[in-house]
Structure formats: C-alpha cells, structure tokens
Amino acid sequence: MSTRELSLDDRLGLDKYEIDEEHSHIQVDQSLCLRCQLRPCLTVCPAAVYVAVDGEIVARYENCLECGTCQIACDTGGQGGITWNPPQGGFGIVFRYG
Amino acid sequence: MEKFDAIVVGAGPAGATAAYLLAQAGMQVVVIERGATPGSKNVSGALLFSQIYNELFPNFWESAPVERAIVGHSIAFLGQETSVTLDYRDLDPTHTPHNAYSVLRACFDPWMAQQAEDAGAMLLPGYTVERLLVENGRVTGIHAGGDDLLADVVVVAEGTRSQLLKQAGLRDDFYAGDVSIGVKEVIALPEEIITNRFQCLTADEGVAYTCVGHTGGVEGGGFLYTNKETLSVGVVVKIDALYKSQRQPHEILDEFKSHPFINRLVHGGKVVEYSAQAIHRGGVHLIPQLYGDGYVVVGSAARLLLNNVMTLRGMDVAVASAAAAAKAILAAREKGDYSRASLAAYEQFFKQTDVYQDMVTFKETYALLENKRLFNVYPDLISGVMDDMFSVKARPGKKAYRALRDNMHDELTLWQMLKDMAQIGRGLVR
Ligand SMILES: Cc1cc2nc3c(=O)[nH]c(=O)nc-3n(C[C@H](O)[C@H](O)[C@H](O)COP(=O)(O)OP(=O)(O)OC[C@H]3O[C@@H](n4cnc5c(N)ncnc54)[C@H](O)[C@@H]3O)c2cc1C
Ligand code: SF4
Ligand code: SF4
C-alpha cells in the first residue's frame, strides 16, 4: 500500500470522532466576515472545516481536529469572526495515537 | 459546595505532574480533563527528553509506554531532489536513561495520569472546564458540567490555546508569527522493517530526523520519528506564513512527504491517523505572567517551550514548570496564603531549573526561526555545493569555495550569507 495520494477526506476518514450531533462548538459571526479580505480560515484549517458558501462562511464542525489554529489565524489575520469553544466533554476528535 | 485544596485543568504532562506532586504531598487534588481518556485530545511529535522524567519517575522507561529509545538524531537539509544530512549516533546505546524516547501521546498520557491517581489525585475525564471562576481578580475555582468547583488554588494546564485564560482576561493575545501549526501522520510499518530501515540493532532502538526545507517555502520544518510499529511524520509551519502562502496544511505535508528522502523512509507504510495541533514557539523573552491570586499557569498554556531548530522540547519543559509550580503551591500551603505574592515563588523556582537555563542559552536561536533563508535558500545551496563536489560530470570539478559561489543565486549575497552564518553561530555555536 502506498502512503501517497491520500486526499484530505481519506485522511479525515481514518480518524475517530464522537460527533455531538446537537451542538456545534464553532460559531461564525458573518457580519465580521463580510469585512474580511484575507479570509485565513479558508487556508489554515488542516481539516478544511471552513468553506465559503454563497458568500457566507460555513463551519463543518464535525471534521474539526481541535488544533486551535483557526481561532489564532482569524484573530490575527482575519476579523475575529470565529468563536471556538472546546466541544462538550467526551465529544469531538478521539486520537488513538496522538 | 465542593471545595478542594487544588484543581488542575488538563491532564497533559504539565497537569499530570502538578497533580502527582501535590497529591503525593497530601493535598486533595482533582484533575479535570476534557478528553474521555487523557491523551485522546493531544498531539506531539513526539520525543520525550528523559532527564526530568527520570528525576520524577526513576527508570520510567521500564514501565511507561515508550516506543523506542532514540539513539540517533539527524538533521536533514532537503534540496529540490537532493538531501544533505548530519547524523549523530550514540554508538554505545546501553547506557540509560537514553537522551530521549519516542512516545505516542494517546498511549503515554494515560500512564502519567495513572501516576497522579496512584498518588491520590482524583481524575475527572470527559469534562470540559467551561470557565474559571474569578472573584475580585482572584481565581476561586472552575465551572464544569453545570457545577462550580472551588479550590484554594487552580493549576491552569490547558495547553497552547489557553482559552480559559483568554476568556478570563488573564493573558495577552497571540501574535500570529509566534504560533505554528503542526500537522502529522502516523504511518504503520512492520516492526522489523522499521528496525532494519533505520539501522537499529533492536526493536527498542529508534532514530529521529529533523528536516529543514521542502515545506512549500513556508517557514518551518519537518520531522520523522520512529515508533515501535509506526512512524510519526509531520511538518510544523508558522500560521501567518501559512495564510499568506494561501496553501493548506495538508498540502505542505504532502510536499514534505513527496521529497525522495522522506518518501524512501515511509515507503510501503499505511497512514493510520491524521492529526494537528497549534504550537507556540516559546522562548525566554515571551514568557507571560505565570501566576496570580489563587492560580498558576504551567506548560504550554504559559507558552513554555524550547525550540532550538534541532530539537523541540515542550513536554519536559511542561513537567519542569509544573514541578516548580507544585513546589510554590506547597510552600503557599505552609503559609496558608495563596495570594499572588505568595505564588510568585513559582517563577523563582522555575528560573532555577536546568530547563530555564537551556531557554536562556538558546535565546538567540529564536532569531534563526525568523530567518526565511534558512528554510528556502540554504537547503538548496548546501545540496548544490555537495552535488558539485561529489559528482563527476562532463565539466571541471570544483573546490568548496568555487562550488559555493556558483550555487549562490542572486537573492543571496556573500555579505548576507556571512551575516546569516554569524546569526547561526550566535544561535547554536557560541
Ligand atoms: C506537532 C507537534 C510536535 C511536538 N513535538 C514535541 C516533541 O517531540 N517533544 C516535546 O517535548 N514536545 C513536543 N511538542 C510540544 C508538546 O506537545 C507540548 O509542549 C506539551 O504537550 C505541553 O504539555 P501541557 O501539559 O502543557 O499541554 P497539553 O499537552 O496540551 O495538555 C493540555 C491538556 O488540557 C486539556 N484541556 C484543555 N482545555 C481543557 C478544558 N477547558 N477543560 C478540561 N481539559 C482541558 C487537554 O485535553 C489536554 O489534555 C510538540 C507539539 C506539536 C504540536
Ligand atoms: S478569518 Fe474569521 S473573520 Fe475572516 S472570513 Fe474567516 S471566520 Fe470570518
Ligand atoms: S480547531 Fe483546527 S481543525 Fe478545528 S476548525 Fe479550527 S483550524 Fe480547523
């Protein structure tokens, strides 16, 4: 088996999650995003959680690896539209190797 | 309402160490961890530098779930199609403890937490601390799972993001240039293939590669560490450089893995996990306020890390800071005074540690991490020079100086290079 050519979705498919179906741990304030030129959230996320749909930023929170990068990038290079809180205890990514 | 002597937020290396030492001294301690099991949220490289662990848990490698003893460290400069490596090997690998052991956090952190529990600490996994309770500037406890829990002192060991401190207005904002993202894959390979491929004598021995270059021109580096039956492969790149580059983290990881040097080492392996974690670059000049009324901040939450290009040390630094904090808390207990003035002893104790001395020693190294040429000019330059000197081609051979001049491109002047060499000298040599 080759280690090459895994798509991002293939990779995320390898990971284990306990998805909180009811609550998203990520909120995006669209009014701030409107003013955002650089939109770093669209590049820095290792799980491509943020996507632009009809001009709005949508967060596919169930893919989140909980790395903390988006909040830092949005606060420093964006307009601070992201509010990221850790998922409720026990939910979210479950690393088996780490 | 429940009141404890101490509440520890987070069961990473820092939190587990604080809980272990405080419980051992007879304090009633509770550790709250948001992962269902300790380690299930945590990502590191990971090389565990053993000195301080051995002081705390003598001969820990005999019972702790370590992967391989690291008997070789290499630094590799990756040019376009070439590589130049500098290998260090401990050829008498019988003396223990070894300098470092490779670990996987999901396996190692539960062991650390168990040591704290065995010492009498209470572990509460699967609970996210939602906020710190602050009264008149004094931290009095935490809120989690719908309840307030009170304590004489709160040990904040929540890791890099330090969200709780931010919410409570107890930390400065990050500067994007100071934070990187680490993106990693764990790649499975049979144990004996790893042992043979990395020229180890036994399955208990392993090696570590730190790599410079081939990270898509984004400032940072790569790593490849051997575990028992897996390899840990990843890149660590600066967040601001990443969003300016408009490239996604997994693309940088792909580029790194596609380099023939890395490709050969991971060949035939199967990716079994993909992970990421933000990481502060640390540095003695960036140490924030470490304590206040009723609380201390330890480990990555306090941006305590040591990165000297060749090694990235966070876990042992976290342990050292937690041990210093525990000592200050125990002294505060004697006095019955957990005020800011009393807990200030933490900073003094931390400054007496070897870890802090190392942070001072390598303080000039941080300037190197800012030097883009280290990542996107020198790896090719060094490779080009070696190529000119080793290869027999249909053109005259070259001595080192000539080869160097011929490989220097317009963006690099001799003067600039001399300045960079002086910077490398200040950072790593003198
Ligand atoms: C890619 C990468 C490679 C690295 N490589 C190395 C290496 O080779 N060697 C090395 O020594 N260091 C390495 N580090 C650094 C090392 O990982 C950190 O410095 C170290 O983990 C810090 O320990 P800590 O206990 O302070 O924080 P963490 O290990 O981050 O632990 C924090 C804990 O708090 C928990 N937590 C957070 N918020 C809450 C909350 N609100 N409620 C309850 N629990 C919470 C988390 O789940 C976690 O268990 C690396 C880091 C990265 C990202
Ligand atoms: S970076 Fe932040 S403010 Fe900018 S578009 Fe993304 S979420 Fe909105
Ligand atoms: S925490 Fe990391 S993985 Fe999750 S959304 Fe933010 S950048 Fe993406």
Side-chain angles (χ1 to χ4, degrees), chain B residues 114-128:
Chain B
Q114 188 63 52
Q115 306 312 301
E117 280 192 274
D118 290 350
M122 190 199 296
L123 177 69
L124 217 56
Y127 284 91
T128 297

Side-chain angles (χ1 to χ4, degrees), chain B residues 22-269:
Chain B
L22 297 178
Q24 205 179 39
M27 284 179 80
Q28 198 200 5
V29 186
V30 60
V31 191
I32 306 177
E33 164 57 49
R34 70 187 187 86
T37 51
S40 60
K41 297 291 184 186
N42 300 344
V43 181
S44 297
L47 299 185
L48 185 135
F49 292 90
S50 59
Q51 199 215 333
I52 184 131
Y53 281 87
N54 196 38
E55 280 171 24
L56 219 56
F57 309 109
N59 295 8
F60 70 94
W61 65 92
E62 289 169 3
S63 51
V66 296
E67 296 287 320
R68 290 180 187 243
I70 299 301
V71 297
H73 286 267
S74 305
I75 178 150
F77 295 92
L78 305 182
Q80 276 314 315
E81 297 279 304
T82 52
S83 63
V84 178
T85 51
L86 186 65
D87 288 312
Y88 164 76
R89 278 256 174 176
D90 180 356
L91 294 174
D92 175 18
T94 53
H95 47 79
T96 50
H98 292 283
N99 178 44
Y101 295 84
S102 52
V103 298
L104 292 162
R105 294 288 303 273
C107 311
F108 188 77
D109 287 13
W111 181 86
M112 283 283 282
Q114 188 63 52
Q115 306 312 301
E117 280 192 274
D118 290 350
M122 190 199 296
L123 177 69
L124 217 56
Y127 284 91
T128 297
V129 172
E130 285 153 42
R131 59 176 192 275
L132 299 172
L133 302 177
V134 188
E135 264 174 47
N136 304 324
R138 182 189 186 93
V139 175
T140 57
I142 58 100
H143 183 87
D147 279 323
D148 287 349
L149 297 186
L150 302 182
D152 288 331
V153 62
V154 174
V155 179
V156 183
E158 59 175 330
T160 305
R161 186 183 299 115
S162 49
Q163 178 102 355
L164 296 170
L165 290 172
K166 181 185 170 188
Q167 261 175 19
L170 296 174
R171 74 154 165 85
D172 300 334
D173 288 337
F174 290 125
Y175 162 61
D178 287 338
V179 200
S180 293
I181 173 176
V183 199
K184 174 182 169 184
E185 281 176 0
V186 176
I187 299 176
L189 270 175
E191 185 181 281
E192 55 295 358
I193 291 190
I194 296 180
T195 304
N196 293 336
R197 192 175 286 181
F198 293 90
Q199 297 174 14
C200 299
L201 282 178
T202 69
D204 294 326
E205 284 187 2
V207 298
Y209 288 88
T210 304
C211 305
V212 183
H214 223 74
T215 47
V218 183
E219 291 137 272
F223 62 87
L224 187 155
Y225 304 147
T226 56
N227 305 312
K228 220 136 232 117
E229 300 180 317
T230 55
L231 303 175
S232 291
V233 181
V235 293
V236 177
V237 290
K238 280 174 62 174
I239 292 178
D240 59 348
L242 183 65
Y243 59 66
K244 283 176 200 149
S245 79
Q246 295 280 329
R247 301 193 56 193
Q248 293 184 291
H250 69 277
E251 295 172 345
I252 312 264
L253 179 59
D254 279 340
E255 173 155 343
F256 177 64
K257 281 176 65 191
S258 74
H259 191 280
F261 181 82
I262 300 299
N263 195 20
R264 276 155 211 250
L265 296 176
V266 303
H267 179 73

